[in-house]
């Protein structure tokens, strides 16, 4: 400690092997710490930048994973739930209905003569037909827990938790009316 007590001197010494001398170096501690603080700032900025890049990349990966999960549960053509998601949901809803003593309704639909429609008008028209019917059926549902799923090629399943048979029959009639209102022509 120096006599004025405002700074410390840090010293180091080493014996020189070729000469009969000892080298002593002393430096003010504030000069040493200033250099160290400068390096600390630079390293801190680098570390923070790396952490920010990792955070942004992590967020993008999370968003991509969520989008992939949504795509994995949706039918690519109609945008309806796919069979895999339907199977997961019906299993969960069946257990919930049994536990709560609530009804669970299922409507299975098949688009009549769809193969001959595809053969006569072509696959692009068949795809457009499936998309239109899927949108019409989905448009009838009002509750978030209700689900329309593409079960197979032209087969569609509708899952209606907490819906009794009368409610399911009404929804089926509304869906039929919605599909008929599309007036999709099929001459054969």
């Amino acid at each position: 400690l120096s006599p004025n007590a405002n700074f410390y001197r840090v010293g180091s010494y080493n014996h020189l092997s070729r000469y009969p001398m000892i080298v002593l170096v002393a430096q003010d501690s504030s000069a040493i710490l200033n250099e160290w603080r400068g390096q600390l700032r630079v390293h801190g900025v680098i570390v923070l930048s790396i952490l920010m890049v990792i955070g942004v990349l992590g967020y993008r990966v999370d968003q991509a994973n969520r989008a992939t999960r949504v795509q994995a549960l949706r039918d690519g053509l109609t945008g309806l739930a796919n069979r895999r998601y339907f199977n997961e949901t019906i299993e969960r809803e069946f257990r919930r209905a049994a536990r709560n003593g609530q009804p669970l309704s299922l409507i299975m639909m098949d688009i009549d003569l769809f193969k001959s429609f595809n053969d006569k008008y072509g696959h692009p028209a068949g795809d457009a037909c499936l998309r239109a019917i899927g949108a019409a059926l989905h448009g009838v549902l009002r509750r978030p827990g209700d689900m329309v799923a593409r079960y197979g090629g032209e087969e569609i399943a509708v899952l209606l938790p907490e819906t009794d048979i009368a409610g399911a029959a009404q929804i089926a009639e509304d869906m039929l009316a919605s599909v008929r209102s599309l007036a999709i022509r099929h001459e054969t």
Side-chain angles (χ1 to χ4, degrees):
L1 184 64
S2 71
N4 68 14
N6 289 334
F7 63 93
Y8 289 97
R9 301 222 23 102
V10 177
S12 175
Y13 65 91
N14 195 5
H15 181 270
L16 299 176
S17 61
R18 291 185 158 184
Y19 303 101
M21 295 169 88
I22 294 176
V23 177
L24 171 67
V25 177
Q27 194 173 7
D28 180 15
S29 63
S30 63
I32 295 170
L33 290 176
N34 284 340
E35 183 180 332
W36 176 79
R37 286 183 187 115
Q39 290 176 353
L40 181 64
R41 284 187 202 101
V42 170
H43 291 142
V45 168
I46 290 170
V47 167
L48 286 175
S49 298
I50 290 171
L51 289 174
M52 286 175 54
V53 167
I54 290 171
V56 168
L57 290 176
Y59 176 76
R60 287 187 173 183
V61 166
D62 183 57
Q63 293 300 96
N65 284 341
R66 288 175 191 232
T68 301
R69 173 134 173 89
V70 167
Q71 288 175 347
L73 301 176
R74 295 278 165 212
D75 175 59
L77 178 64
T78 63
L80 299 175
N82 63 16
R83 187 170 180 166
R84 175 179 169 206
Y85 186 50
F86 170 79
N87 288 341
E88 290 173 6
T89 304
I90 195 168
E91 201 173 299
R92 184 178 59 249
E93 288 297 335
F94 187 80
R95 285 192 307 268
R96 188 167 68 93
R99 184 175 58 246
N100 297 335
Q102 295 288 327
L104 176 65
S105 293
L106 172 66
I107 302 170
M108 292 296 296
M109 299 179 214
D110 185 76
I111 301 172
D112 289 338
L113 306 172
F114 185 74
K115 183 176 178 347
S116 65
F117 182 90
N118 243 1
D119 291 344
K120 178 165 179 62
Y121 299 105
H123 290 286
D127 291 350
C129 174
L130 286 172
R131 279 192 292 274
I133 290 173
L137 296 174
H138 191 266
V140 170
L141 300 181
R142 300 285 175 243
R143 300 180 308 174
D146 296 345
M147 172 197 287
V148 178
R150 186 169 177 201
Y151 194 75
E154 71 275 0
E155 298 158 334
I156 296 174
V158 181
L159 187 62
L160 304 166
E162 300 178 16
T163 304
D164 61 12
I165 193 163
Q170 183 59 54
I171 290 172
E173 298 230 358
D174 293 347
M175 287 181 161
L176 184 58
S178 181
V179 170
R180 282 188 176 146
S181 73
L182 297 173
I184 298 172
R185 282 186 40 189
H186 186 358
E187 292 175 359
T188 58

